[in-house]
Amino acid sequence: MSSIQDLTDLLESSRNAAAFTGAGVSTLSGIRDFRGDSGIYQDVDPRRMFDLSAFISDPGYYYSRAKDFIYTLHEKQPSLVHRVLAQMEQRGLLPQGVITQNIDLLHAKAGSRRVVELHGTPSVHRCLDCDAEQSYESVLPEASQGEIPRCRACGGVMKPDIVFFGEMLPEDETAIAFRIAASADLLLVLGSSLVVQPASSIPITTLDNGGKIVIVNRTPTPLDDYAVLRFSDLQQVFEALAQYFG
Ligand code: CNA
């Protein structure tokens, strides 16, 4: 069985650690994940909500559902996990920072400086017709009501810069994420079901380059057998880390 002492020993002996986070680190901030016990899959199909061609033909479907999930993100606060990861980076225990699949901006809000957002961000919205940009705040009046925000320049539909199913991952962030994963001697894999590709190849890249992975996730993942340590409860693990490194 994995122990916290083993984890702190690993962290202290590593030179180039990074974290790879998924929606599970934000359930503690009151943001639902996709596939966890109370995940969004219970009542909405994210494959339709976040599908590019579905969005182009019917953006109202996304906005009518995203009002409760995306356009309340400014009210959410970082959890213990976000805060401890930021502290670990500041203390030099996580020099490569965080690669995240999340789009909730909470790592930056907690004070993490190196954050690679693999699945984009809703802090920017872009017009489907003329590519003009608007901020999260400027689309909020319509989006928080479930209405479609329109481009101020041409009246086109605004789409969040979140990576939808059917879109490529952002090239620069993806390249940086794989570079970090390849050079990490330790990757903490936190709150991800590891079923979304290609993001789940990040931990495999660390393993292929001789690094170790530690997994903290409530439900099983396809990489559990490759982890040197495996825990299930993020709150428990990060309470212990906060005490140890606090
Ligand atoms: P996922 O597939 O929903 O997996 C989340 C995992 O976290 C599940 O396996 C849960 O069992 C686990 N989990 C939840 N809470 C805890 C906890 N307290 N302790 C331990 N484990 C826990 O999400 P992934 O991130 O793997 O999938 C990638 C998708 C989900 C990305 O495209 C994200 O953008 C997308 N997503 C992001 C957010 C967000 O930004 N907060 C929320 C929901 C979905």
Side-chain angles (χ1 to χ4, degrees), residues 45-112:
D45 181 357
R47 290 220 160 243
R48 176 163 179 216
M49 184 175 162
F50 294 104
D51 181 84
L52 183 62
S53 42
F55 183 87
I56 291 168
S57 60
D58 178 15
Y61 184 86
Y62 162 82
Y63 280 108
S64 64
R65 281 148 187 90
K67 74 177 165 54
D68 301 321
F69 171 53
I70 302 289
Y71 301 100
T72 51
L73 286 176
H74 57 288
E75 297 164 1
K76 306 294 182 193
Q77 295 307 320
S79 71
L80 176 75
V81 180
H82 299 106
R83 291 197 305 272
V84 172
L85 287 173
Q87 284 163 9
M88 285 167 61
E89 182 189 10
Q90 277 148 30
R91 286 167 193 218
L93 289 159
L94 212 57
Q96 302 245 51
V98 180
I99 305 165
T100 190
Q101 300 172 83
N102 294 343
I103 43 90
D104 56 29
L105 315 166
L106 289 181
H107 286 298
K109 220 177 200 177
S112 282

Side-chain angles (χ1 to χ4, degrees), residues 38-227:
S38 315
I40 291 169
Y41 268 111
Q42 310 285 335
D43 42 55
V44 179
D45 181 357
R47 290 220 160 243
R48 176 163 179 216
M49 184 175 162
F50 294 104
D51 181 84
L52 183 62
S53 42
F55 183 87
I56 291 168
S57 60
D58 178 15
Y61 184 86
Y62 162 82
Y63 280 108
S64 64
R65 281 148 187 90
K67 74 177 165 54
D68 301 321
F69 171 53
I70 302 289
Y71 301 100
T72 51
L73 286 176
H74 57 288
E75 297 164 1
K76 306 294 182 193
Q77 295 307 320
S79 71
L80 176 75
V81 180
H82 299 106
R83 291 197 305 272
V84 172
L85 287 173
Q87 284 163 9
M88 285 167 61
E89 182 189 10
Q90 277 148 30
R91 286 167 193 218
L93 289 159
L94 212 57
Q96 302 245 51
V98 180
I99 305 165
T100 190
Q101 300 172 83
N102 294 343
I103 43 90
D104 56 29
L105 315 166
L106 289 181
H107 286 298
K109 220 177 200 177
S112 282
R113 295 205 184 102
R114 283 193 81 176
V115 182
V116 181
E117 291 172 313
L118 262 189
H119 291 172
T121 168
S123 57
V124 173
H125 281 59
R126 209 175 290 280
C127 175
L128 285 181
D129 293 333
C130 75
D131 221 31
E133 285 184 18
Q134 279 181 220
S135 67
Y136 172 92
E137 287 75 18
S138 75
V139 301
L140 201 54
E142 291 85 18
S144 63
Q145 299 304 309
E147 292 159 16
I148 303 169
R150 297 280 170 179
C151 175
R152 287 186 181 151
C154 77
V157 171
M158 300 303 291
K159 177 193 168 291
D161 252 5
I162 298 169
V163 179
F164 277 35
F165 293 105
E167 282 186 296
M168 303 286 286
L169 294 187
E171 221 173 284
D172 291 354
E173 280 77 1
T174 307
I176 296 168
F178 277 97
R179 217 164 38 233
I180 291 173
S183 63
D185 55 354
L186 175 64
L187 187 71
L188 306 180
V189 182
L190 309 171
S192 176
S193 58
L194 296 181
V195 298
V196 177
Q197 281 297 350
S200 50
S201 353
I202 298 269
I204 296 175
T205 302
T206 300
L207 290 167
D208 284 348
N209 285 277
K212 294 175 178 162
I213 66 168
V214 170
I215 294 179
V216 188
N217 204 62
R218 188 167 288 143
T219 48
T221 83
L223 296 185
D224 287 352
D225 288 347
Y226 302 94

